[in-house]
Amino acid sequence: HVNDNKIAIEKILAEGLSTFFVNYLNEDTLLRLVDTFCLEGYKVLFRVGLALFKHAQQALLQTKFVSTLCYIYNFKDNVYTQINQFRAALIKESKKLHQVDLCKLAKEIKISRDKFEKLETLHQETLMPSSLENEEEVARRWPSWDPEWIKQSNILKHKGDFLQLWVWLPPQCHVGDFEMLFSTAQDGYKLSTLYEK
Protein backbone atom coordinates (compact mmCIF):
# COMPACT_ATOMS: atom_id res chain seq x y z
CA HIS A 1 0.00 0.00 0.00
CA VAL A 2 2.85 2.36 0.93
CA ASN A 3 4.84 1.50 -2.19
CA ASP A 4 1.81 1.63 -4.49
CA ASN A 5 0.97 5.15 -3.32
CA LYS A 6 4.61 6.29 -3.21
CA ILE A 7 4.45 7.28 0.46
CA ALA A 8 7.87 8.27 1.83
CA ILE A 9 7.30 6.54 5.13
CA GLU A 10 10.84 7.39 6.28
CA LYS A 11 9.96 11.11 6.21
CA ILE A 12 6.94 10.56 8.45
CA LEU A 13 9.00 8.42 10.84
CA ALA A 14 11.86 10.96 10.80
CA GLU A 15 9.47 13.75 11.78
CA GLY A 16 8.15 11.71 14.68
CA LEU A 17 11.60 10.73 15.90
CA SER A 18 12.84 14.32 15.73
CA THR A 19 9.90 15.73 17.68
CA PHE A 20 9.39 12.90 20.18
CA PHE A 21 6.07 12.16 18.41
CA VAL A 22 4.65 15.27 20.10
CA ASN A 23 2.06 15.79 17.34
CA TYR A 24 1.11 12.11 17.30
CA LEU A 25 0.38 11.31 20.94
CA ASN A 26 -2.01 12.60 23.57
CA GLU A 27 -0.32 14.32 26.51
CA ASP A 28 -0.44 11.39 28.99
CA THR A 29 1.01 8.99 26.44
CA LEU A 30 3.69 11.52 25.48
CA LEU A 31 4.76 11.87 29.12
CA ARG A 32 5.00 8.08 29.41
CA LEU A 33 7.18 8.07 26.28
CA VAL A 34 9.48 10.68 27.85
CA ASP A 35 9.80 8.53 30.99
CA THR A 36 10.57 5.44 28.94
CA PHE A 37 13.05 7.36 26.81
CA CYS A 38 14.89 8.51 29.94
CA LEU A 39 15.17 4.91 31.13
CA GLU A 40 15.84 3.04 27.88
CA GLY A 41 17.41 5.61 25.55
CA TYR A 42 16.69 6.67 22.00
CA LYS A 43 16.18 3.15 20.63
CA VAL A 44 12.72 3.12 22.18
CA LEU A 45 11.67 5.88 19.76
CA PHE A 46 12.12 3.53 16.80
CA ARG A 47 10.00 0.86 18.51
CA VAL A 48 7.32 3.44 19.33
CA GLY A 49 7.29 4.66 15.71
CA LEU A 50 6.79 1.13 14.44
CA ALA A 51 4.16 0.50 17.14
CA LEU A 52 2.19 3.55 15.95
CA PHE A 53 2.23 2.22 12.39
CA LYS A 54 1.14 -1.20 13.61
CA HIS A 55 -1.68 0.29 15.70
CA ALA A 56 -2.96 2.39 12.79
CA GLN A 57 -2.46 -0.29 10.13
CA GLN A 58 -6.14 -0.83 9.27
CA ALA A 59 -6.90 2.89 9.09
CA LEU A 60 -3.82 3.48 6.95
CA LEU A 61 -4.77 0.69 4.56
CA GLN A 62 -8.26 2.18 4.21
CA THR A 63 -6.97 5.68 3.51
CA LYS A 64 -8.29 6.85 0.17
CA PHE A 65 -5.75 9.09 -1.48
CA VAL A 66 -7.23 12.01 -3.34
CA SER A 67 -4.99 13.08 -6.18
CA THR A 68 -4.48 16.76 -6.73
CA LEU A 69 -5.66 17.23 -10.29
CA CYS A 70 -4.84 20.48 -12.05
CA TYR A 71 -4.66 21.54 -15.66
CA ILE A 72 -0.98 20.72 -15.44
CA TYR A 73 -0.47 17.60 -13.34
CA ASN A 74 2.32 18.07 -10.80
CA PHE A 75 3.66 14.72 -9.56
CA LYS A 76 5.56 16.29 -6.66
CA ASP A 77 2.45 18.05 -5.29
CA ASN A 78 0.43 14.84 -5.55
CA VAL A 79 3.03 12.87 -3.57
CA TYR A 80 3.13 15.64 -0.95
CA THR A 81 -0.68 15.55 -0.61
CA GLN A 82 -0.63 11.78 -0.22
CA ILE A 83 2.04 11.98 2.51
CA ASN A 84 -0.12 14.53 4.35
CA GLN A 85 -3.21 12.32 4.06
CA PHE A 86 -1.26 9.31 5.29
CA ARG A 87 0.24 11.37 8.13
CA ALA A 88 -3.20 12.75 9.13
CA ALA A 89 -4.64 9.24 9.34
CA LEU A 90 -1.65 8.09 11.42
CA ILE A 91 -2.00 11.05 13.82
CA LYS A 92 -5.75 10.51 14.21
CA GLU A 93 -5.26 6.87 15.19
CA SER A 94 -2.20 7.53 17.34
CA LYS A 95 -4.00 10.17 19.44
CA LYS A 96 -6.50 7.47 20.48
CA LEU A 97 -3.75 5.22 21.81
CA HIS A 98 -3.60 4.84 25.60
CA GLN A 99 -0.15 4.92 27.21
CA VAL A 100 -0.36 1.33 28.50
CA ASP A 101 -1.40 0.04 25.08
CA LEU A 102 1.48 1.89 23.42
CA CYS A 103 3.96 0.35 25.87
CA LYS A 104 2.58 -3.14 25.18
CA LEU A 105 2.72 -2.64 21.40
CA ALA A 106 6.27 -1.24 21.55
CA LYS A 107 7.48 -4.16 23.70
CA GLU A 108 6.04 -6.65 21.19
CA ILE A 109 8.18 -5.18 18.41
CA LYS A 110 11.53 -6.89 18.25
CA ILE A 111 14.21 -5.24 16.15
CA SER A 112 17.42 -7.11 15.43
CA ARG A 113 20.65 -5.14 15.72
CA ASP A 114 21.09 -5.29 11.94
CA LYS A 115 17.59 -3.94 11.27
CA PHE A 116 17.99 -1.27 13.92
CA GLU A 117 21.24 -0.08 12.34
CA LYS A 118 19.49 0.10 8.94
CA LEU A 119 16.62 2.11 10.46
CA GLU A 120 19.04 4.44 12.20
CA THR A 121 21.07 4.98 9.02
CA LEU A 122 17.92 5.66 7.01
CA HIS A 123 16.74 8.11 9.66
CA GLN A 124 20.04 10.01 9.64
CA GLU A 125 20.07 10.15 5.83
CA THR A 126 16.47 11.40 5.80
CA LEU A 127 17.14 14.16 8.33
CA MET A 128 20.41 15.58 7.10
CA PRO A 129 22.12 14.11 4.10
CA SER A 130 25.66 15.39 4.46
CA SER A 131 29.15 14.14 3.91
CA LEU A 132 31.77 13.86 6.60
CA GLU A 133 33.59 16.79 5.05
CA ASN A 134 30.56 19.01 5.61
CA GLU A 135 30.24 17.81 9.22
CA GLU A 136 33.86 18.72 9.95
CA GLU A 137 33.38 22.11 8.31
CA VAL A 138 30.20 22.76 10.32
CA ALA A 139 31.74 21.51 13.59
CA ARG A 140 34.40 24.26 13.49
CA ARG A 141 31.86 27.07 13.26
CA TRP A 142 31.31 29.12 16.41
CA PRO A 143 28.11 31.08 17.02
CA SER A 144 27.98 34.82 16.78
CA TRP A 145 27.54 36.52 20.14
CA ASP A 146 24.85 38.93 21.29
CA PRO A 147 25.04 40.15 24.94
CA GLU A 148 21.22 40.47 24.92
CA TRP A 149 20.95 36.65 25.08
CA ILE A 150 22.06 36.67 28.73
CA LYS A 151 19.10 38.94 29.58
CA GLN A 152 16.65 36.51 27.93
CA SER A 153 17.62 33.44 29.96
CA ASN A 154 17.23 32.68 33.66
CA ILE A 155 19.45 29.61 33.28
CA LEU A 156 22.33 30.64 31.02
CA LYS A 157 23.99 33.60 32.76
CA HIS A 158 27.43 33.87 31.14
CA LYS A 159 28.88 33.72 27.66
CA GLY A 160 30.74 30.57 28.74
CA ASP A 161 27.38 28.85 29.43
CA PHE A 162 26.26 29.50 25.85
CA LEU A 163 29.56 28.27 24.43
CA GLN A 164 29.43 25.11 26.56
CA LEU A 165 25.92 24.45 25.30
CA TRP A 166 27.18 24.95 21.73
CA VAL A 167 29.94 22.37 22.28
CA TRP A 168 27.41 19.83 23.58
CA LEU A 169 25.21 20.13 20.48
CA PRO A 170 25.83 17.63 17.65
CA PRO A 171 27.89 19.06 14.74
CA GLN A 172 24.81 19.01 12.47
CA CYS A 173 23.19 21.62 14.73
CA HIS A 174 26.01 24.14 14.26
CA VAL A 175 24.34 25.76 11.27
CA GLY A 176 22.66 28.74 12.93
CA ASP A 177 22.89 30.92 15.99
CA PHE A 178 21.15 30.93 19.35
CA GLU A 179 17.54 32.05 19.39
CA MET A 180 15.05 31.94 22.26
CA LEU A 181 12.27 29.62 21.07
CA PHE A 182 10.64 28.68 24.35
CA SER A 183 10.32 30.46 27.67
CA THR A 184 8.14 29.31 30.55
CA ALA A 185 7.44 32.99 31.30
CA GLN A 186 5.90 33.43 27.83
CA ASP A 187 4.86 29.92 26.80
CA GLY A 188 3.82 28.30 30.08
CA TYR A 189 4.84 24.90 31.40
CA LYS A 190 3.19 22.55 28.90
CA LEU A 191 5.62 19.85 27.79
CA SER A 192 3.93 19.45 24.42
CA THR A 193 4.47 23.18 23.70
CA LEU A 194 8.16 22.81 24.55
CA TYR A 195 8.60 19.87 22.17
CA GLU A 196 6.55 21.52 19.45
CA LYS A 197 8.63 24.71 19.58
Side-chain angles (χ1 to χ4, degrees):
H1 183 67
V2 167
N3 291 339
D4 290 346
N5 289 285
K6 297 177 177 59
I7 303 298
I9 205 167
E10 68 276 5
K11 290 185 179 176
I12 296 171
L13 187 58
E15 178 209 5
L17 291 169
S18 314
T19 62
F20 246 62
F21 297 100
V22 71
N23 295 322
Y24 292 78
L25 302 172
N26 62 58
E27 196 167 328
D28 290 339
T29 308
L30 178 64
L31 291 173
R32 175 62 72 90
L33 173 60
V34 171
D35 288 345
T36 310
F37 173 79
C38 291
L39 290 171
E40 295 186 27
Y42 72 99
K43 292 181 181 182
V44 75
L45 296 177
F46 286 95
R47 288 203 320 264
V48 165
L50 295 173
L52 293 178
F53 283 117
K54 184 176 181 181
H55 170 73
Q57 183 176 5
Q58 288 305 316
L60 295 174
L61 288 172
Q62 293 170 4
T63 303
K64 303 289 185 217
F65 294 108
V66 180
S67 297
T68 344
L69 296 175
C70 308
Y71 290 109
I72 301 170
Y73 181 79
N74 186 334
F75 177 74
K76 186 178 179 183
D77 286 344
N78 185 48
V79 170
Y80 182 72
T81 302
Q82 289 180 340
I83 288 174
N84 282 342
Q85 291 169 345
F86 190 87
R87 181 179 173 271
L90 180 62
I91 289 173
K92 182 180 176 185
E93 292 302 311
S94 298
K95 291 268 187 194
K96 299 175 188 175
L97 196 56
H98 188 269
Q99 55 189 350
V100 174
D101 297 330
L102 177 62
C103 289
K104 286 178 184 175
L105 276 172
K107 284 182 182 178
E108 289 173 7
I109 293 177
K110 305 294 182 207
I111 306 174
S112 68
R113 181 176 295 225
D114 186 46
K115 284 184 181 178
F116 177 77
E117 287 173 3
K118 286 179 183 176
L119 274 173
E120 189 174 29
T121 301
L122 179 62
H123 173 61
Q124 288 172 353
E125 290 170 356
T126 303
L127 278 183
M128 275 190 197
S130 64
S131 66
L132 285 174
E133 291 172 15
N134 289 342
E135 280 187 22
E136 287 173 8
E137 190 177 301
V138 169
R140 293 190 182 115
R141 183 188 175 283
W142 286 96
S144 58
W145 175 247
D146 182 353
E148 292 296 312
W149 292 337
I150 292 175
K151 296 175 187 172
Q152 293 178 354
S153 176
N154 293 328
I155 299 170
L156 305 171
K157 290 294 184 188
H158 306 284
K159 183 177 180 179
D161 296 338
F162 283 89
L163 294 177
Q164 183 61 56
L165 184 63
W166 188 262
V167 170
W168 287 339
L169 290 171
Q172 299 93 336
C173 295
H174 294 183
V175 293
D177 286 317
F178 290 108
E179 180 183 349
M180 176 72 77
L181 296 177
F182 179 87
S183 166
T184 53
Q186 296 169 353
D187 302 303
Y189 292 91
K190 226 174 163 188
L191 185 63
S192 57
T193 307
L194 169 66
Y195 284 120
E196 191 174 326
K197 291 203 168 209

